[in-house]
Amino acid sequence: RFNKELIKEYVWRFWRTHVIVECGIFLAFLLYYLYLFLAGYQWALWVILMVCSIPVMLVVRIRRDNKLIMERNVALYGKEDPEHIIEIGEEILYTEEGVSFRISPKDVKKCTQTKNLIIFKFKGNMAVLLKKDSFVQGSAEECLAWFEKNKQK
């Protein structure tokens, strides 16, 4: 089961790359328009204020995504933390509250790790989250080794 903290960890990991790129662009614009403002262009102050709203929008998006995931779980399963069962063999068998589907290792686009999660990202911007400490058989390291072995096939 995934609690709110693990959902936040996943969403932050998903957005981390976007945040770094967008903050870099933000900083470049901010420095440029700050230079213009200091050079006497008064209109640059308004641009600076608009550019400063970018980080605020990112934080709002990240919080909104956390909330949307929890609301989706309540709407579909009647609870915020539905039970997930993931079996890894030749394929990944993913079961969430009784609904199952199979995923081939070759469909995995990327495998990412956070402090507590292994995240498999698939085609269609879908992800399967595995808590590192919730393996009934095997371990997180064996799961990652399985992915490395099977992603080439």
Side-chain angles (χ1 to χ4, degrees), residues 12 26 29 40 45 76 100 109 116:
W12 171 248
F26 159 76
F29 273 106
L45 180 61
L76 290 174
S100 298
K109 291 191 326 187
N116 299 304

Side-chain angles (χ1 to χ4, degrees), residues 62-131:
I62 289 169
R63 288 185 178 210
R64 184 201 67 202
D65 284 357
N66 285 331
K67 186 177 177 185
L68 286 175
I69 289 172
M70 300 307 262
E71 288 175 355
R72 175 189 153 266
N73 287 342
V74 170
L76 290 174
Y77 309 112
K79 51 188 165 185
E80 287 185 345
D81 60 342
E83 184 177 65
H84 304 265
I85 300 170
I86 298 144
E87 297 175 35
I88 299 176
E90 292 294 317
E91 296 181 312
I92 299 171
L93 176 61
Y94 180 76
T95 305
E96 187 173 40
E97 291 294 324
V99 178
S100 298
F101 59 94
R102 294 187 180 280
I103 304 164
S104 171
K106 65 183 175 191
D107 291 334
V108 178
K109 291 191 326 187
K110 186 177 181 182
C111 179
T112 307
Q113 291 187 69
T114 66
K115 178 181 174 187
N116 299 304
L117 297 172
I118 298 171
I119 304 165
F120 288 123
K121 292 186 181 178
F122 300 94
K123 298 174 184 173
N125 210 20
M126 186 180 86
V128 170
L129 312 177
L130 302 169
K131 281 176 62 176

Side-chain angles (χ1 to χ4, degrees), residues 15 19 22 26 49-65:
W15 279 103
V19 169
E22 290 177 16
F26 159 76
L49 294 174
M50 288 189 322
V51 170
C52 286
S53 67
I54 292 172
V56 173
M57 290 187 295
L58 285 172
V59 169
V60 168
R61 276 179 90 175
I62 289 169
R63 288 185 178 210
R64 184 201 67 202
D65 284 357

